[in-house]
């Protein structure tokens, strides 16, 4: 297979469909001139996603055999490239947001209809009905998704477990946290390449933009495409990135076969260790949240060592999280609980760490009365393989006076499915005693787990940790307490750099999962189309 040059192409589009086609072809020419063999264009290449009604959306949509896509296919053939484009597509009475992959002979190799529509897209467009393909090519196995599908883990993860080595993401986004979080995390958590192409320029009709911006109370420039198209390596490193504004062709030479290595530094194979059977709730039909809202505010603490637990409790922390195995690898759960309970006497606080529980590695929830609950680690971990040989069979939820808590034990923090299970179970907060081994785990992984699931996260490791709180300002285009700064879904981050770090989280905010009108991060997940997540042998996955 060897190396291949890939390109993420960013540009602006408007209401002029012939003009947009000319821009697409011109930018494909530029990318080809730079030697790219795989070229990814942004989302909604044919026209701005702005329609008066469904008839207008249908009138301006492409047809597979129409002039727009015929010209695109011919340009792929002329340059002998694999070309991914995203357009609105009218087909069989449906109007979809479709990613199309054309081969070097102009043949349509694959089609992936967007499964998760963003906000007003759902007013006149139809969500996809089935998972998109993983397309085998001479340059590796390619999977396609678009914009909002990458703001949560489900669709990229589904493609990766079905064997995709290179994930191609077309975006139409003003959100600055796409480039800083939602795009690169999909590479790191799946140990796959990501090639992501975003728009620049206004994402709404220029004539209407000032009035729309004034009505929303948003500076007009924050409604432009955020650019920063990028190519991300399987370790989460951004190897090439475009500017925030202006047209660009972002190129890099990549080796798709590197995505076949799913091992962590300790030797754990993160895909072989997955527990698909446990993830079944993720692929069941979504239901509305049933649990009541938690407390508006909860003081929490990240502490470095057991001797600091009382100090954190005296500072008002009701949830105190220590690193995993804070009492040493030999300490058992009973002894750990006794020591923590003694430290918590006279308080209502709970403390969390991990310990041995027979032949299992388990998180321990402790209060002044002793051991209040445990959570066995769900996934095998090479670094604990000498003694932890038994694993949990479900993710427990603990109801506390302030809300619903889930414990994520050690290396379970590496699996997006675990936090998705917590959100499906209506958790408000997650305590994570862990030991990170790679930079992406704290820089990208845990912040995304909080963002995509609307979970407060309190994580503690040997060298510090994170408190990730849910902001009240969340649902786009609703009344906010503060100004809109261009981020679509991102927690409030407190980095725990002191021996004791006390911060506040907001359990009640976990109830609101609407990132925009009609788009629920948890309840709107495309469960019907990501069934490979819970399949022990997903079709097409390497064994």
């Amino acid at each position: 297979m060897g190396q291949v040059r890939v390109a993420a192409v960013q540009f602006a589009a408007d209401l002029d469909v012939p003009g947009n086609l000319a821009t697409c072809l011109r930018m494909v020419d530029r990318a080809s001139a730079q030697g790219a063999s795989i070229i990814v264009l942004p989302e909604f290449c044919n026209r701005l996603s702005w329609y008066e009604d469904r008839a207008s959306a249908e009138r301006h949509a492409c047809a597979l055999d129409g002039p727009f896509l015929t010209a695109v296919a011919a340009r792929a053939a002329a340059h002998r490239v694999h070309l991914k484009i995203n357009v609105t597509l009218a087909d069989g009475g449906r109007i979809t947001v479709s990613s199309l992959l054309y081969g070097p002979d102009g043949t349509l190799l694959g089609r992936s209809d967007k499964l998760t529509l963003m906000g007003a897209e759902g007013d006149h467009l139809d969500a996809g009905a089935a998972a998109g393909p993983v397309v085998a090519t001479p340059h590796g196995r390619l999977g396609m998704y678009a914009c909002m599908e990458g703001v949560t883990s489900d669709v990229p993860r589904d493609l990766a477990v079905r064997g995709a080595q290179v994930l191609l993401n077309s975006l139409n986004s003003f959100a600055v946290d796409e480039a800083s979080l939602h795009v690169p995390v999909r590479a790191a958590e799946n140990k796959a390449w990501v090639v992501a192409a975003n728009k620049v320029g206004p994402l709404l009709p220029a004539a209407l933009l000032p009035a729309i911006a004034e009505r929303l109370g948003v500076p007009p420039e924050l409604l432009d495409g955020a650019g920063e198209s990028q190519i991300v390596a399987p370790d989460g490193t951004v190897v090439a990135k475009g500017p925030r504004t202006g047209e660009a062709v972002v190129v890099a030479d990549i080796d798709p076969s590197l995505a076949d290595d799913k091992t962590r530094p300790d030797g754990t194979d993160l895909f072989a260790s997955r527990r698909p059977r446990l993830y079944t709730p993720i692929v069941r039909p979504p239901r509305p949240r049933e649990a009541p809202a938690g407390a508006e505010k909860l003081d929490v603490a990240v502490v470095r060592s057991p001797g600091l637990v009382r100090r954190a409790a005296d500072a008002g922390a009701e949830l105190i999280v220590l690193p995993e195995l804070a009492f040493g690898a030999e300490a058992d759960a009973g002894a750990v609980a006794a020591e923590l309970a003694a430290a918590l006497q006279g308080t209502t606080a709970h403390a969390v760490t991990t310990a041995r529980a027979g032949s299992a590695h388990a998180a321990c929830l402790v209060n002044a009365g002793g051991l209040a609950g445990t959570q066995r680690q769900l996934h095998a971990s090479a670094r604990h393989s000498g003694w932890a040989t038994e694993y949990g069979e479900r993710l427990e939820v603990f109801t506390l006076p302030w809300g619903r808590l889930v414990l994520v034990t050690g290396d379970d923090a590496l699996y997006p499915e675990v936090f998705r299970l917590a959100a499906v179970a209506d958790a408000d907060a997650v305590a994570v005693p862990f030991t990170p081994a790679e930079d992406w785990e704290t820089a990208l992984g845990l912040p995304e787990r909080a963002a995509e699931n609307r979970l407060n996260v309190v994580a503690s490791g040997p060298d510090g940790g994170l408190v990730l709180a849910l902001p009240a300002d969340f649902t786009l285009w609703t009344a906010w307490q503060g100004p809109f700064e261009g981020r679509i879904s991102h927690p409030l981050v407190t980095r725990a750099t002191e021996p004791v770090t006390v911060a506040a989280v907001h359990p009640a905010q976990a109830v609101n999962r609407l990132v925009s009108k009609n788009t629920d991060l948890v309840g709107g997940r495309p469960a019907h189309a990501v069934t490979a997540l819970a399949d022990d042998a997903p079709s097409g996955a390497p064994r």
Side-chain angles (χ1 to χ4, degrees):
M1 184 185 302
Q3 287 201 332
V4 59
R5 180 162 294 182
V6 298
V9 181
Q10 68 181 42
F11 52 80
D14 54 28
L15 299 177
D16 177 9
V17 175
N20 294 335
L21 173 59
T23 298
C24 289
L25 300 180
R26 174 172 56 82
M27 297 303 286
V28 169
D29 291 345
R30 281 183 56 182
S32 176
Q34 294 187 43
S37 295
I38 299 174
I39 300 172
V40 181
L41 305 187
E43 188 181 32
F44 296 118
C45 283
N46 58 315
R47 188 181 187 272
L48 288 179
S49 180
W50 180 269
Y51 304 104
E52 296 176 355
D53 50 33
R54 186 173 175 88
S56 172
E58 185 170 20
R59 186 167 61 252
H60 293 293
C62 296
L64 286 173
D65 58 355
F68 193 105
L69 292 177
T70 298
V72 169
R75 195 57 56 98
H79 291 303
R80 302 295 297 168
V81 297
H82 286 84
L83 174 60
K84 185 215 179 185
I85 188 169
N86 180 283
V87 297
T88 54
L89 189 67
D91 185 16
R94 289 169 51 79
I95 313 167
T96 53
V97 184
S98 297
S99 293
L100 306 170
L101 180 67
Y102 290 96
D105 62 355
T107 300
L108 179 61
L109 301 179
R111 168 182 169 180
S112 179
D113 295 340
K114 189 176 183 182
L115 296 164
T116 307
L117 301 180
M118 178 62 171
E121 291 173 10
D123 290 347
H124 308 304
L125 305 175
D126 298 309
V134 173
V135 182
T137 76
H139 302 308
R141 300 182 297 274
L142 311 182
M144 299 183 287
Y145 61 103
C147 206
M148 185 61 212
E149 290 179 305
V151 178
T152 59
S153 63
D154 308 301
V155 173
R157 187 69 160 183
D158 173 85
L159 291 166
V161 300
R162 287 192 283 129
Q165 297 165 305
V166 186
L167 301 172
L168 311 180
N169 182 9
S170 297
L171 298 101
N172 177 74
S173 181
F174 56 73
V176 296
D177 52 330
E178 291 279 16
S180 64
L181 179 60
H182 308 303
V183 169
V185 74
R186 303 306 166 213
E189 70 195 14
N190 293 304
K191 293 198 174 295
W193 293 93
V194 169
V195 184
N198 196 11
K199 286 271 190 67
V200 291
L203 300 184
L204 298 170
L208 303 177
L209 185 57
I212 295 171
E214 182 177 5
R215 186 171 76 247
L216 297 175
V218 174
E221 62 271 16
L222 290 184
L223 297 176
D224 283 2
E228 295 190 296
S229 301
Q230 59 190 259
I231 299 160
V232 192
D235 64 357
T237 301
V238 178
V239 298
K241 184 165 73 172
R244 176 73 172 76
T245 61
E247 290 185 348
V249 176
V250 182
V251 299
D253 295 321
I254 72 171
D255 182 352
S257 68
L258 294 180
D260 293 334
D261 181 3
K262 306 296 186 185
T263 55
R264 196 170 183 243
D266 71 345
T268 303
D269 186 319
L270 295 177
F271 272 39
S273 298
R274 293 178 68 253
R275 302 279 306 280
R277 179 174 55 81
L278 303 188
Y279 313 147
T280 301
I282 298 172
V283 302
R284 289 178 183 148
R287 53 158 181 75
R289 178 180 164 118
E290 298 173 350
E296 288 293 334
K297 179 186 175 186
L298 175 72
D299 287 328
V300 302
V302 173
V303 303
R304 295 281 182 89
S305 65
L308 298 169
V309 168
R310 184 67 196 205
R311 178 174 153 191
D314 288 343
E318 287 293 321
L319 177 63
I320 302 164
V321 184
L322 297 91
E324 70 171 303
L325 300 172
F327 290 83
E330 301 300 320
D332 66 49
V336 166
E339 289 201 41
L340 287 176
L344 294 172
Q345 288 303 306
T347 79
T348 56
H350 287 78
V352 179
T353 184
T354 73
R356 290 192 183 215
S359 297
H361 180 212
C364 303
L365 178 67
V366 182
N367 58 23
L371 188 63
T374 62
Q375 172 66 63
R376 286 185 171 192
Q377 188 166 317
L378 301 174
H379 302 86
S381 176
R383 63 194 180 91
H384 297 321
S385 60
W387 58 272
T389 56
E390 296 180 359
Y391 308 100
E393 292 299 321
R394 57 171 292 172
L395 190 68
E396 305 290 344
V397 180
F398 301 94
T399 301
L400 300 180
W402 48 262
R404 293 165 64 81
L405 175 68
V406 160
L407 311 180
V408 171
T409 308
D411 292 347
D412 283 347
L414 298 167
Y415 299 85
E417 295 91 343
V418 174
F419 294 82
R420 208 63 167 148
L421 288 171
V424 169
D426 295 341
D428 300 311
V430 178
V432 187
F434 75 138
T435 302
E438 297 180 278
D439 290 344
W440 75 267
E441 297 171 32
T442 52
L444 300 172
L446 288 177
E448 183 69 334
R449 302 293 84 85
E452 69 185 358
N453 296 297
R454 289 292 285 175
L455 292 168
N456 297 278
V457 176
V458 187
S460 181
D463 299 317
L466 293 168
V467 178
L468 303 169
L470 298 180
D473 289 338
F474 176 57
T475 305
L476 294 172
W477 323 138
T478 60
W480 281 25
Q481 298 173 5
F484 176 66
E485 297 178 340
R487 298 203 292 188
I488 185 175
S489 178
H490 202 291
L492 305 172
V493 180
T494 300
R495 297 204 174 268
T497 57
E498 300 297 323
V500 176
T501 299
V502 178
V505 298
H506 308 286
Q509 294 302 327
V511 172
N512 180 18
R513 299 157 167 177
L514 279 174
V515 66
S516 189
K517 179 181 72 169
N518 303 325
T519 307
D520 186 313
L521 292 179
V522 180
R525 68 187 185 280
H528 65 286
V530 294
T531 55
L533 297 180
D535 186 347
D536 281 318
S539 176
R543 307 310 298 166

